[in-house]
Amino acid sequence: MSSAFRDVPDHELWRRASDHDGPAFGELFERHSKAVYNHCFRRTASWWVAQDLTSVVFLEAWRRRRDVRMHSDSILPWLLAVANNCIKNSDRSIRRHRRLLAKLPPEGVTSNDEDAWTRIEDEAKMATILAKLNQLRIEEREVVALVDWAELGCAEAAAALSISEGTVRSRLSRAHEHLRELIDSDPDPLQHPLRGVGPIHEGA
Amino acid sequence: MSPDLLPPARELPPSRYRAARRQLERVASGAVRSWRWRIGQRTAAGLGVGVIVAGGAAAAAAAYLPSQRGQLTHRLDAVVAQYGRAVSTRSSQEDCASIGMTYAKGYLNGTSTPTLLASYTSSVAALDKWYYNQTVPIVPATNALEIRSDFNALTTGEAPTSVCYFLGPYGQVFRTPLHEVSADTSAVLLVFITGGRAYWAGTVAYPMPAVYQTPPSA
């Protein structure tokens, strides 16, 4: 965070950015790009797609700057809501991409780039988790992504999704219940990719 | 569900971070014309796009002659050879490039039906005309900015990412990651930018998201 903006709250930065203060917008990007990037990765299981989506989210946020909704002086919930919309639009293409990958003949791996390996492993792991999570309703997936993964509070998630806080809590509760059922119904629940996680673990 | 279960959070790669931040600051500071301004020019833009598309179609008809087809395939082979390794590593952007090339090659070998083939010269000239002179403003601002950023990065030697540009049905120009290239619908591939260099790879089919299939609204 640059010293000039260290104590400036999000809402003030956003006001300045809306008045064409480029560095203020840059500061918002610095504060929140990592959260947006990782949120996009966790919804797409692709670092590459997430990189592109992160830029798109901020540009889309700028385009829709008159619709911004702050919560507790943080713009992050709204940015994640914009990210959700961007992700939804890209889903169809991403599904096609995966079908394409599946059609390619398997070949030996030649890369010795350790970071690339880690990223590929991350993507594979995330894809496994998402495949399981996709058995939930989309409304439940959204609250899991925002509350459990992005670690927003229920009130912030409610602001992001434009629903009441009570609805967030009930969706989250249902999502956890469904996840527990998924884990319990697995032939090998101890190896289930969703096992070992906070509220789900308690009932598993 | 705890985030501890998930792969660890990462920072954006430094080059992407710098490029994105620079781009956003330029957008916010108003250094780039707004989408509203672009839309305001759409009548003139439509005419311009029409001329360019017609030119591209004519070029396509000429370029797809069997005598030139081998040459195109040869050029594509060289690109595929350069990026072919990526198919095996399945690593993000290079992977995407290979898939795009595979499908482009498939087309050039006659395995799918071409709709239009734009020449390298006309594509780059068109991009240059559209983005540096802004004579065709029917371009979503976000995409226009990214294209400009990519071309700037090329000229300064800062390698951008693997992307392709294509022409939408209403004359829009879109930027997209290469992994989105598929074979079941059609569009015009203008140019690949990958590894800091630009490549023309003929035409590939593209699955256009619904948002791209609607005309820009005022």
Side-chain angles (χ1 to χ4, degrees):
Chain A
M1 190 185 299
S2 61
S3 57
F5 293 113
R6 183 172 297 140
D7 299 322
V8 181
D10 275 10
H11 74 83
E12 176 61 17
L13 285 175
W14 192 255
R15 187 193 64 74
R16 291 189 197 178
S18 298
D19 287 340
H20 301 290
D21 182 341
F25 199 32
E27 173 65 16
L28 285 169
F29 182 74
E30 182 168 331
R31 285 185 188 179
H32 301 301
S33 60
K34 183 178 179 183
V36 171
Y37 177 46
N38 286 282
H39 178 74
C40 290
F41 169 70
R42 289 163 181 170
R43 301 298 305 275
T44 63
S46 166
W47 291 112
W48 159 246
V49 172
Q51 286 170 22
D52 244 29
L53 281 173
T54 303
S55 291
V56 171
V57 166
F58 278 87
L59 288 165
E60 182 68 10
W62 169 256
R63 195 177 69 80
R64 292 170 50 190
R65 58 191 177 278
R66 289 178 183 80
D67 303 330
V68 66
R69 297 189 306 271
M70 294 279 175
H71 183 85
S72 303
D73 193 45
S74 173
I75 199 173
L76 181 59
W78 186 69
L79 288 173
L80 296 186
V82 173
N84 281 345
N85 288 333
C86 294
I87 291 164
K88 280 176 192 167
N89 289 335
S90 69
D91 271 358
R92 191 172 65 151
S93 297
I94 291 167
R95 280 198 296 272
R96 282 204 172 97
H97 169 52
R98 289 180 181 154
R99 284 202 295 272
L100 278 178
L101 282 179
K103 291 175 185 173
L104 290 173
E107 297 184 39
V109 176
T110 57
S111 172
N112 56 5
D113 180 342
E114 287 185 13
D115 187 55
W117 269 115
T118 311
R119 279 188 285 114
I120 293 167
E121 287 169 358
D122 285 352
E123 290 181 350
K125 180 178 181 183
M126 200 66 228
T128 306
I129 292 172
L130 278 185
K132 297 290 182 185
L133 197 73
N134 284 344
Q135 296 176 55
L136 305 186
R137 293 166 54 214
I138 187 167
E139 296 85 358
E140 295 171 352
R141 295 202 299 266
E142 283 181 337
V143 294
V144 167
L146 291 173
V147 178
D148 288 343
W149 293 355
E151 299 183 296
L152 294 186
C154 286
E156 291 173 311
L161 296 170
S162 299
I163 57 178
S164 72
E165 192 175 336
T167 305
V168 170
R169 291 184 190 283
S170 63
R171 284 183 185 175
L172 193 62
S173 173
R174 278 200 301 273
H176 288 165
E177 189 177 330
H178 289 160
L179 286 170
R180 269 196 296 273
E181 289 169 4
L182 285 174
I183 294 171
D184 290 343
S185 64
D186 194 283
D188 188 1
L190 290 177
Q191 298 300 317
H192 197 284
L194 300 179
R195 188 179 170 79
V197 291
I200 304 167
H201 181 61
E202 293 163 13
Chain B
M1 187 169 177
S2 161
D4 297 341
L5 180 76
L6 307 173
R10 287 174 177 270
E11 301 281 353
L12 273 168
S15 60
R16 290 300 300 263
Y17 177 88
R18 283 195 302 271
R21 179 168 180 161
R22 207 165 44 231
Q23 181 186 67
L24 291 167
E25 289 182 349
R26 289 188 64 216
V27 171
S29 63
V32 178
R33 296 205 187 258
S34 69
W35 169 239
R36 190 180 295 273
W37 180 86
R38 294 171 194 280
I39 286 294
Q41 307 299 312
R42 65 181 177 175
T43 303
L47 289 172
V49 167
V51 169
I52 291 167
V53 168
Y64 198 64
L65 290 174
S67 60
Q68 296 192 12
R69 194 160 138 184
Q71 184 183 350
L72 297 176
T73 306
H74 177 74
R75 182 184 303 190
L76 202 55
D77 277 340
V79 180
V80 171
Q82 182 170 354
Y83 290 96
R85 182 181 61 84
V87 174
S88 61
T89 62
R90 300 261 168 111
S91 62
S92 59
Q93 62 195 49
E94 285 189 329
D95 189 12
C96 301
S98 300
I99 294 169
M101 295 302 172
T102 301
Y103 274 79
K105 190 178 177 185
Y107 153 62
L108 291 170
N109 286 333
T111 55
S112 65
T113 305
T115 54
L116 190 61
L117 186 66
S119 77
Y120 178 81
T121 307
S122 66
S123 301
V124 173
L127 282 172
D128 184 70
K129 190 172 181 182
W130 291 338
Y131 295 110
Y132 289 114
N133 299 326
Q134 297 185 344
T135 56
V136 179
I138 301 184
V139 176
T142 57
N143 294 302
L145 291 168
E146 295 201 9
I147 290 172
R148 183 190 293 261
S149 169
D150 287 337
F151 273 84
N152 285 342
L154 269 181
T155 57
T156 59
E158 182 182 348
T161 182
S162 294
V163 294
C164 72
Y165 299 103
F166 65 93
L167 192 63
Y170 294 91
Q172 313 101 307
V173 174
F174 295 103
R175 171 187 186 275
T176 183
L178 291 183
H179 72 268
E180 293 198 2
V181 172
S182 182
D184 51 358
T185 55
S186 61
V188 182
L189 175 70
L190 298 176
V191 61
F192 286 113
I193 296 180
T194 184
R197 298 177 64 187
Y199 298 97
W200 167 56
T203 300
V204 295
Y206 183 82
M208 282 179 290
V211 64
Y212 295 159
Q213 294 175 8
T214 54
S217 56

